[in-house]
Amino acid sequence: MSEPLPMSGAGQTHVTRVDVLVFYLQRATAETRFSLDDFSEALARAYHGLVPEHARSLDLEPPQDRGSYSDYAKAVGRIRKRVQRYVDGSLHLPVELEEAWVAALPDPYQQAARTRLARRYGFLAAETPQTAACTDGEAVGRVMTQTGECLSGLSQALADGVIDADDLRRDPTLMDRIFDAQAALASVAARVAQVQSGAGNG
């Protein structure tokens, strides 16, 4: 899911972390059946699961499954209004909510958001064997898929024999696809290293 993010306001070129969070939420709700109500409930539950009680400053009590549907709907509605204010910028989205926000997104939007946020620090978003929810075969398949997409973009850029600024203007996701391929390979390398380490200790 490599796509350029919209800019932060007219004439600005910097994309903030909040822009990334809002972008992938809007993509998820626009392209799937995942609703803002679904996200609001997932956000509240993730916030309470990830942020220790002593560190919470937000009133984001997860809706209770027990009780009447009316009470449940009202609780979700209160959270949704807060989320909408975060999205439209009328309410500041605090740092303590970032991890829960990402965790509340459905895949592949969740992984895309993690990847984008990691790249802001210059890191590859490579999954460790402990956190990757895929088999070894699927991990190798990702390498093949991401490498294929990377090579496709590079071959088009090299059509005139050189990769230059014009190529990046025509294909602003080219660098992202290179990073995606690197991250997929790094994830497989971590799996192989884990096996190698285990074999060496045996």
Side-chain angles (χ1 to χ4, degrees), residues 40-58:
S40 298
E41 180 176 356
L43 177 65
R45 297 193 187 286
Y47 177 69
H48 275 253
L50 294 169
V51 180
E53 185 175 358
H54 71 272
R56 296 176 200 152
S57 65
L58 304 175

Side-chain angles (χ1 to χ4, degrees), residues 105-176:
L105 292 170
D107 273 327
Y109 307 95
Q110 181 183 131
Q111 182 57 39
R114 291 185 194 280
T115 297
R116 187 72 62 170
L117 292 170
R119 285 181 187 159
R120 293 175 64 85
Y121 285 106
F123 299 138
L124 291 177
E127 294 181 309
T128 65
Q130 293 79 12
T131 61
C134 66
T135 65
D136 290 344
E138 289 170 335
V140 172
R142 288 181 183 179
V143 173
M144 297 172 68
T145 298
Q146 300 294 358
T147 301
E149 292 181 2
C150 170
L151 291 175
S152 175
L154 288 173
S155 64
Q156 293 178 38
L158 275 172
D160 60 356
V162 63
I163 299 175
D164 55 25
D166 288 337
D167 293 312
L168 297 182
R169 280 191 288 270
R170 283 191 297 269
D171 184 2
T173 68
L174 178 59
M175 199 66 211
D176 286 334

